[in-house]
Amino acid sequence: QVQLVESGGGLVQAGDSLRLSCAASGRTFGRYAMGWFRQAPGKGREDVARIVWSVGVTSYADSVKGRFTISRDNAKNGVHLQMNSLKPEDTAVYYCAAQLRPGEDYTYWGQGTQVTVSS
């Protein structure tokens, strides 16, 4: 089992920055990738960013490319999501997740952290 706990959400104004953190514990050895997802009210879940754990290769949704950065947090065995130039449409609950093997669904999920961006 892998436990994931997100933190760092909050209420900010458009143009501001936030950094989300995801701390991982449990059987984290051997995970293939970690990702950040978000879900806004009334909308489906959106893939935001992903990092392949062993090599650090990252990928991003077009909607956040150039504004968000995912990185490893070696101290907490998890990941960060640095979010700059935030827009009202970034408002959502943000979740981190762990993928154990390439091509498989993400197996472990955190409880989510709310990000609200006012205009």
Side-chain angles (χ1 to χ4, degrees):
Q1 291 284 335
V2 176
Q3 293 79 42
L4 304 173
V5 179
E6 303 97 335
S7 61
L11 171 63
V12 296
Q13 294 186 330
D16 286 350
S17 298
L18 271 179
R19 189 173 83 155
L20 305 183
S21 296
C22 174
S25 60
R27 298 188 66 179
T28 59
F29 179 80
R31 71 192 129 168
Y32 176 69
M34 291 193 71
W36 284 97
F37 298 78
R38 66 186 181 186
Q39 188 162 19
K43 295 188 177 181
R45 189 178 68 198
E46 178 185 14
D47 294 15
V48 174
R50 178 172 177 264
I51 185 166
V52 178
W53 194 255
S54 62
V55 295
V57 173
T58 59
S59 58
Y60 299 91
D62 288 343
S63 58
V64 307
K65 203 171 291 184
R67 300 187 298 123
F68 290 12
T69 303
I70 186 171
S71 61
R72 291 176 52 153
D73 178 0
N74 291 324
K76 293 187 177 181
N77 208 18
V79 289
H80 292 301
L81 184 68
Q82 177 66 42
M83 306 186 294
N84 298 329
S85 302
L86 282 161
K87 305 175 181 180
E89 51 263 43
D90 294 319
T91 295
V93 178
Y94 284 71
Y95 302 88
C96 72
Q99 182 187 34
L100 299 184
R101 297 175 186 83
E104 292 187 352
D105 290 339
Y106 283 76
T107 304
Y108 299 103
W109 294 81
Q111 83 288 350
T113 186
Q114 176 71 47
V115 172
T116 304
V117 184
S118 64
S119 56

